[in-house]
Amino acid sequence: MIIETLSTFPAMYDSVMGTSMMRIAQEQGALDFRAFDLRDWTHDRHRTTDDSPYGGGQGLVMKCEPIFEAFDEIVAAREMKPYTVFLTPTGEAFTQAVAQELSEKPRLLFVCGHYEGIDERAYTLADRCLSLGDYVLTSGELASMVVIDAVVRLLPGVLGDEGSAIDESFYDGLLEYPQYTRPAEFRGMEVPPILCSGDHAKVATWRRQQSLKRTAHLRSDLLAQANLSEADRAFLKSLSTEAGSSSETVS
C-alpha cells in the first residue's frame, strides 16, 4: 500500500512512522510512506500557506492554491490515482469499518489541515472527509497518524499473527473480552479458571460472552450495529433479566 501525507509539518511523522509496527511494515514492503511539505508549493519567500479569512474572524485559514498545486503534482507522480482523505472536524466519524475500507485502497493521500481550517474550495479534491471525534486537535497531522495506524495494522502480514486484528475491539462491532497472562494469581486476583482449562470451545464461548457483557455495560450503543448471532441475543437477554431481578431485589 502507498500512503502519502500533505501537511505543513511533515517532520511530525518521523518518530511515528520510524518505530514499531510502522517501521516493520515499511521494511517488509507492505507500506510505502512519504510525507510531503505543503510549503514546497508556495511562491513567496516566507513560504506562506495561510491567510486571513474573508468576512473577518479569528485565526488564519489555509490557502487553496498550494493545496491544489501539490495535489496535481503528487497525483501525477504515480500512475495510480490516490484515494484522497481530508482530516476535518466536519468529516464523518472514523470507525473500524472505515479503517477496513481504507485498508483495501492501493494508494491513500491524507491532506491535513491546520490553523482555523482550510479554504472550502480545497475539499473538492476529497474522496472522503474524516473526523476522529467531537473535539479539536492542533493539527490534522495528529489525526492522520491515528487513521494511518488503524489502517496499516489491517494490511496482510503486518501484525504477524493474522488472527490478532480479528480478535481486537470493534472488529465485529463489540468491545474486546478481558485478557490475562502469567501469573495466574496476583495480589489476591485470580485469572478466570476457564482460561486455564485447556477447553478451547468453552474458552471461545466465555470470551464471546464477556465481550457481549462488556459492550452492553460500557457501549450499549454498539449493539445495534454489531454482528450478533441468536446465541448472542439470548445471552444479552439473560443479562437484562438478571439486571431486572437484581433491581427488584434491591427495591
Side-chain angles (χ1 to χ4, degrees):
M1 167 181 271
I2 300 168
I3 294 182
E4 296 156 317
T5 61
L6 177 63
S7 71
T8 50
F9 297 99
M12 290 180 66
Y13 294 96
D14 291 348
S15 61
V16 172
M17 301 307 297
T19 57
S20 187
M21 180 191 68
M22 295 298 184
R23 174 182 59 79
I24 294 172
Q26 292 174 80
E27 291 176 350
Q28 291 179 343
L31 172 64
D32 179 357
F33 175 80
R34 182 173 178 184
F36 291 97
D37 189 343
L38 181 62
R39 298 182 192 280
D40 290 342
W41 285 274
T42 56
H43 304 287
D44 64 300
R45 65 174 182 171
H46 299 296
R47 306 181 78 198
T48 307
T49 61
D50 58 276
D51 205 341
S52 301
Y54 275 118
Q58 298 295 318
L60 299 168
V61 175
M62 291 184 67
K63 296 160 63 69
C64 64
E65 302 105 313
I67 294 177
F68 273 86
E69 287 186 32
F71 178 84
D72 290 344
E73 191 168 328
I74 292 171
V75 169
R78 301 180 190 255
E79 293 183 3
M80 186 189 310
K81 186 177 184 296
Y83 186 82
T84 304
V85 179
F86 275 62
L87 284 307
T88 167
T90 62
E92 70 174 283
F94 179 61
T95 64
Q96 187 65 25
V98 174
Q100 182 63 51
E101 288 183 48
L102 295 181
S103 72
E104 297 168 4
K105 306 292 184 184
R107 184 186 181 191
L108 295 175
L109 171 62
F110 291 90
V111 179
C112 307
H114 209 76
Y115 311 111
E116 286 300 308
I118 301 175
D119 186 301
E120 189 69 19
R121 290 166 289 189
Y123 289 111
T124 60
L125 301 174
D127 292 302
R128 198 162 201 164
C129 293
L130 296 177
S131 169
L132 292 190
D134 298 333
Y135 51 87
V136 179
L137 293 174
T138 304
S139 68
E141 288 93 342
L142 295 171
S144 71
M145 290 178 202
V146 172
V147 177
I148 292 170
D149 184 278
V151 169
V152 171
R153 66 189 295 105
L154 295 175
L155 299 180
V158 171
L159 289 183
D161 178 0
E162 294 304 315
S164 295
I166 295 176
D167 285 339
E168 292 175 333
S169 288
F170 306 115
Y171 182 85
D172 60 355
L174 301 175
L175 299 182
E176 190 178 10
Y177 49 80
Q179 297 273 26
Y180 299 88
T181 188
R182 296 179 179 83
E185 187 277 333
F186 180 72
R187 295 188 178 181
M189 296 177 285
E190 296 184 355
V191 172
I194 194 169
L195 296 180
C196 305
S197 68
D199 190 324
H200 298 296
K202 288 184 178 180
V203 168
T205 297
W206 180 88
R207 284 177 168 171
R208 182 64 177 183
Q209 291 180 346
Q210 290 296 311
S211 182
L212 290 164
K213 186 175 183 179
R214 175 174 280 182
T215 305
H217 178 62
L218 299 175
R219 289 291 306 276
S220 59
D221 59 296
L222 295 175
L223 295 175
Q225 301 297 324
N227 299 317
L228 302 178
S229 65
E230 288 304 314
D232 292 337
R233 297 182 190 282
F235 179 73
L236 289 170
K237 186 175 182 180
S238 71
L239 292 179
S240 300
T241 301
E242 289 177 9
S245 298
S246 299
S247 62
E248 290 175 7
T249 303
V250 172
S251 60

